[in-house]
Amino acid sequence: MSTPAQYYQSLPPVSKFYGVACLMTTSALYLGLYDPWNIALSYQDVFKRFQVWRLITNFFFLGPFSPFFAIRLIMIARYGVLLERGPFDKRTADYVWMLMFGALSLLVMAAIPFLWTPFMAGSLVFMIVYVWSREFPNAQISIYGVVTLKGFYLPWALLALDLIFGASLMEDIIGMVAGHLYYFLTVLHPLAGGKYVLKTPLWVHKLLAYWGEGIQVNSPVQRGPSAGVAFRGRSFRLDDNRARTTTAPSEQNQTDNSARQPNSGEGVAFRGKSYRLSGH
């Protein structure tokens, strides 16, 4: 059994960051440090008052401390971690891009009045669950130790539970739509012979390189300053060698002339060997 500190250190970076950010946001609300409506999604405040932070902060509020909050946080710790360690292992930039694409899709859907919700963190978490269910469709999942079903049906089971508990289904449904859109564009459409149109942008790789966390195989961006220093060092040595070989032709002529003189070791050995042969 690992300690809580060991478990925390073992978590992959993106899921750990998102889970901790959601926990800190709710903790700050519990301490009365802010009004939740100051971070809620409001397009009127975004465009008229330029409160652009609302486009981001609403994805980090899972609600006040409650069973609903605990379930959503466990989903991040469970299915988000399994995704990051499974299909997205050593693909941190791709995982971050998946979350960004999901957030952008949810923001677009929230522009439709009847799909709008002030906080979309629950929808983003549900998108993670949906993508996991498509990546692990045959995994066996136990719902509260009562029902066992395949992973493919997990989002629908959670949707039914929210219906029974009286929670809003809109967040779950638009999260599933965003997850299916991502899975279709990255898996189903390319498998059907279509073009892969959702490649992780270069700026996401640069963001991860600057962050210095996670691993991305075949990344076009190298992490850390050592790569640039090594490149400049090699360039300096090549320029230095080129300068010594091309800027002093007179020295090269002097070297060639000295090679023909008797004092040259190579010439003496050759003439000495020739002299001995003529002596025989």
Side-chain angles (χ1 to χ4, degrees):
M1 295 293 292
S2 61
T3 64
Q6 291 174 338
Y7 171 75
Y8 174 79
Q9 293 296 331
S10 67
L11 294 174
V14 180
S15 299
K16 177 166 60 177
F17 170 80
Y18 187 54
V20 170
C22 292
L23 179 61
M24 293 180 63
T25 303
T26 300
S27 300
L29 175 67
Y30 179 78
L31 296 175
L33 299 180
Y34 69 96
D35 184 353
W37 291 107
N38 290 332
I39 64 172
L41 177 62
S42 172
Y43 284 112
Q44 182 177 2
D45 291 330
V46 169
F47 292 110
K48 291 186 177 180
R49 301 178 182 176
F50 301 102
Q51 297 179 358
V52 294
W53 66 81
R54 295 176 179 271
L55 298 174
I56 301 175
T57 54
N58 76 94
F59 288 104
F60 294 94
F61 185 70
L62 289 172
F65 287 122
S66 64
F68 178 84
F69 169 83
I71 292 174
R72 292 298 186 261
L73 196 63
I74 291 173
M75 288 181 181
I76 299 175
R78 175 64 176 172
Y79 303 109
V81 169
L82 288 176
L83 266 183
E84 196 169 354
R85 287 177 176 172
F88 291 93
D89 184 32
K90 298 181 180 179
R91 295 174 54 204
T92 306
D94 296 339
Y95 189 67
V96 171
W97 176 237
M98 181 199 76
L99 296 178
M100 289 183 174
F101 175 80
L104 291 174
S105 302
L106 293 171
L107 289 175
V108 171
M109 286 186 280
I112 303 174
F114 67 88
L115 295 180
W116 174 85
T117 56
F119 303 103
M120 308 194 75
S123 300
L124 189 61
V125 172
F126 222 84
M127 173 197 171
I128 295 175
V129 174
Y130 182 87
V131 174
W132 178 89
S133 71
R134 298 306 301 264
E135 293 287 352
F136 300 93
N138 296 318
Q140 296 296 316
I141 300 298
S142 177
I143 304 296
Y144 298 114
V146 177
V147 179
T148 301
L149 68 162
K150 291 185 177 181
F152 180 83
Y153 302 104
L154 177 62
W156 304 99
L158 295 177
L159 190 68
L161 288 176
D162 285 345
L163 178 62
I164 295 173
F165 293 150
S168 174
L169 301 182
M170 185 59 65
E171 292 184 3
D172 301 347
I173 293 174
I174 61 177
M176 293 173 64
V177 172
H180 184 75
L181 180 61
Y182 173 83
Y183 190 78
F184 174 80
L185 293 176
T186 57
V187 179
L188 299 181
H189 183 61
L191 286 178
K195 184 179 180 181
Y196 187 82
V197 296
L198 209 59
K199 183 179 179 180
T200 303
L202 179 62
W203 63 269
V204 178
H205 291 282
K206 291 182 178 180
L207 178 65
L208 266 294
Y210 179 79
W211 185 24
E213 294 288 340
I215 301 174
Q216 176 68 37
V217 294
N218 300 325
S219 175
V221 179
Q222 292 183 347
R223 184 174 63 186
S226 59
V229 174
F231 178 78
R232 291 195 298 270
R234 289 195 294 271
S235 174
F236 175 78
R237 289 196 294 271
L238 287 173
D239 293 341
D240 186 59
N241 292 334
R242 185 182 299 114
R244 283 186 289 183
T245 57
T246 59
T247 59
S250 60
E251 294 180 2
Q252 182 176 2
N253 294 334
Q254 293 177 1
T255 303
D256 295 340
N257 293 333
S258 63
R260 300 189 186 97
Q261 295 178 359
N263 292 334
S264 174
E266 182 181 359
V268 172
F270 178 77
R271 287 193 299 274
K273 194 179 301 181
S274 174
Y275 174 78
R276 286 195 295 272
L277 289 173
S278 62
H280 287 292

